[in-house]
Amino acid sequence: MCILLNLEKHGSAKAHIVGVDTFTGKKHETFGPTGSNILAPFIVKKEYQLLDINDDGYLSLMTDDGDEKCDIKLKEDEIGLKLKKVFENDKDSSSIMVQTICAMDVEQVVDIKVN
């Protein structure tokens, strides 16, 4: 799942495609025939209220409908460490909002907001 950065046509038969992975930020490059199709994932950005972080690192989030969502595991990256620190210092989690992106049945935290 990449965000397209560059698409260069090399003659009538080849294309050079450069993209960045939506979740890891890793750069990917490939060459391919210009006549082939490329699948494009549908990316959805969502925002949830943080309720809790359990011992296994899974987030307890409240959806817009008021339902609880508990299937997103917090990664041990910069955003994950920041969220843990904010949550530990401010147990009033009603003020913490979590932004995620979801593509191809994978959802990951990309940002947090503290009100």
Side-chain angles (χ1 to χ4, degrees):
M1 293 172 279
C2 288
I3 296 171
L4 185 64
L5 293 180
N6 193 14
L7 176 62
E8 295 177 7
K9 192 173 174 183
H10 293 275
S12 62
K14 282 189 177 182
H16 179 221
I17 302 166
V18 180
V20 174
D21 188 291
T22 306
F23 296 111
T24 65
K26 185 178 177 184
K27 185 177 176 181
H28 296 277
E29 294 185 63
T30 188
F31 283 92
T34 56
S36 61
N37 293 329
I38 297 174
L39 297 175
F42 185 66
I43 299 174
V44 177
K45 195 173 200 176
K46 296 181 181 178
E47 188 169 283
Y48 304 102
Q49 179 184 339
L50 178 66
L51 301 175
D52 195 16
I53 301 174
N54 74 16
D55 294 337
D56 294 333
Y58 282 90
L59 303 177
S60 178
L61 306 169
M62 185 183 299
T63 67
D64 290 338
D65 300 334
D67 297 328
E68 190 173 354
K69 178 178 177 63
C70 299
D71 61 347
I72 299 175
K73 185 165 179 144
L74 191 60
K75 294 180 90 175
E76 293 293 327
D77 59 1
E78 182 181 337
I79 294 170
L81 297 174
K82 179 181 174 185
L83 181 56
K84 279 184 182 178
K85 185 177 180 180
V86 168
F87 182 72
E88 289 169 0
N89 292 337
D90 183 11
K91 287 294 182 180
D92 178 23
S93 61
S94 65
S95 64
I96 303 171
M97 300 300 289
V98 176
Q99 291 181 340
T100 66
I101 54 173
C102 181
M104 299 173 66
D105 296 327
V106 177
E107 192 166 12
Q108 179 177 320
V109 175
V110 293
D111 199 9
I112 65 169
K113 285 197 264 184
V114 180
N115 298 331

